[in-house]
Amino acid sequence: MAEREPNIEGLTNKPSIHEHKQTEESKSSADSKQKEEDYGYSLYPGRTSSKYKEGSIGESLFTFKHKCHVMLQFAMDTSPYAKLLLDAMKSSGCTVFKDRHFSCEDCDGTASVDLMPLPSQIVLCQNNIHQQAHMNRVVTHELIHAFDHCRARVDWFTNFRHLACSEIRAANLSGDCSFANEISRFNFGLKEHHQECVRGASAPILAVRKVSREEAERVVDEVFDSCFNDHAPFGRIPHGKKDAKFAHRDFENRDRYYANL
């Protein structure tokens, strides 16, 4: 007696209307959560798509990528701030390689730079950085974040205290709040003006983490004193290139001293 063919249609598990609805709701919920937890990555569309092929003539002619790489190399070779931070990270076992840890890309809005903790990469907004002084400053700012990432277990995504502390340190030590920069922004003041400028580090939390201004200011106040007085690896607040050069020299001398122990 011949075996009967199995009823393929009967064996196929078709989802019910209820299961289909649950699947759609789950997908919608996941998409919504992903949008909420974007963490500002949407500001960098060049990470997912690019009009020109990498290394192509079109990229060289019609984007600022080549100029960005030239200014980045100059900053790494000549800025005493960047040189100290690069040496400090190398000494801590976190050597920075230009082609691996920096990426020049087009960005939305007025963003200049961002540290991407997951791929351990600093994204430089090539369409928004046009002067060497600006490049030097943003490279220093992000290398301070990278140094903090190297020396401590920083939770960039959910711990606002960690993020605020690193932003305070970066604003304090990178020259963002130098007297010359504040004058160029038409911000004048004498008593504790530097501290007030550094307190503005709450702005990145507001922009990326979508927290209220009150909450951001509260978090910054909680960690301000300890983070403002943490000057590693400079050992002081470098108020200009001369200070940064002295700090770099002192760091090299300390490094040689400990190497000979």
Side-chain angles (χ1 to χ4, degrees), residues 6-259:
N7 186 344
I8 302 299
E9 288 188 21
L11 295 176
T12 303
N13 293 322
K14 292 184 178 179
S16 67
I17 295 175
H18 178 67
E19 290 173 333
H20 181 71
K21 187 176 180 181
Q22 280 186 324
T23 303
E24 289 297 321
E25 287 177 353
S26 299
K27 192 180 293 184
S28 175
S29 176
D31 290 343
S32 175
K33 187 176 181 182
Q34 186 176 4
K35 286 180 181 178
E36 288 177 5
E37 296 182 355
D38 176 41
Y39 299 120
Y41 289 162
S42 59
L43 294 173
Y44 310 94
R47 298 196 71 77
T48 54
S49 62
S50 179
K51 190 175 180 181
Y52 303 102
K53 186 178 179 182
E54 188 173 355
S56 67
I57 295 176
E59 181 185 69
S60 178
L61 292 176
F62 301 110
T63 72
F64 296 101
K65 188 174 286 288
H66 177 69
K67 180 182 178 182
C68 175
H69 280 289
V70 170
M71 289 196 296
L72 168 61
Q73 188 64 61
F74 190 80
M76 295 176 71
D77 290 342
T78 64
S79 167
Y81 294 87
K83 289 168 70 174
L84 190 158
L85 286 159
L86 291 169
D87 285 350
M89 291 185 67
K90 183 177 180 180
S91 180
S92 299
C94 301
T95 303
V96 175
F97 299 98
K98 182 172 82 73
D99 295 333
R100 162 64 183 86
H101 296 110
F102 288 93
S103 179
C104 290
E105 301 175 14
D106 284 335
C107 307
D108 284 347
T110 59
S112 296
V113 67
D114 195 15
L115 172 69
M116 299 293 187
L118 292 180
S120 297
Q121 196 168 56
I122 295 171
V123 179
L124 299 168
C125 297
Q126 60 193 22
N127 55 320
N128 293 332
I129 304 175
H130 303 296
Q131 296 182 356
Q132 187 63 51
H134 188 190
M135 175 64 80
N136 292 352
R137 199 161 58 249
V138 297
V139 166
T140 299
H141 186 108
E142 294 306 312
L143 282 176
I144 291 170
H145 290 322
F147 176 78
D148 289 345
H149 190 67
C150 171
R151 69 169 181 162
R153 295 185 177 183
V154 180
D155 181 356
W156 299 100
F157 299 109
T158 60
N159 193 318
F160 295 160
R161 292 168 64 90
H162 287 186
L163 179 61
C165 187
S166 192
E167 287 294 347
I168 289 166
R169 281 177 30 76
N172 188 27
L173 302 173
S174 67
D176 286 351
C177 290
S178 69
F179 181 74
N181 283 333
E182 283 296 272
I183 290 293
S184 69
R185 300 181 191 118
F186 299 102
N187 291 332
F188 304 96
L190 294 175
K191 188 176 180 181
E192 297 187 347
H193 183 73
H194 181 76
Q195 286 91 327
E196 289 307 311
C197 173
V198 172
R199 283 185 185 276
S202 60
I205 302 176
L206 290 169
V208 181
R209 298 300 183 261
K210 298 183 178 68
V211 301
S212 67
R213 178 175 293 276
E214 292 74 19
E215 184 179 359
E217 290 176 350
R218 178 182 59 78
V219 173
V220 169
D221 286 341
E222 286 176 359
V223 300
F224 187 83
D225 288 341
S226 60
C227 299
F228 183 81
N229 291 305
D230 180 2
H231 303 149
F234 293 90
R236 69 191 83 181
I237 299 176
H239 291 289
K241 286 185 178 181
K242 190 173 181 180
D243 278 350
K245 285 179 181 178
F246 283 134
H248 189 204
R249 183 195 62 189
D250 291 345
F251 176 84
E252 289 179 317
N253 290 338
R254 284 198 308 272
D255 205 34
R256 279 193 289 266
Y257 172 77
Y258 288 121

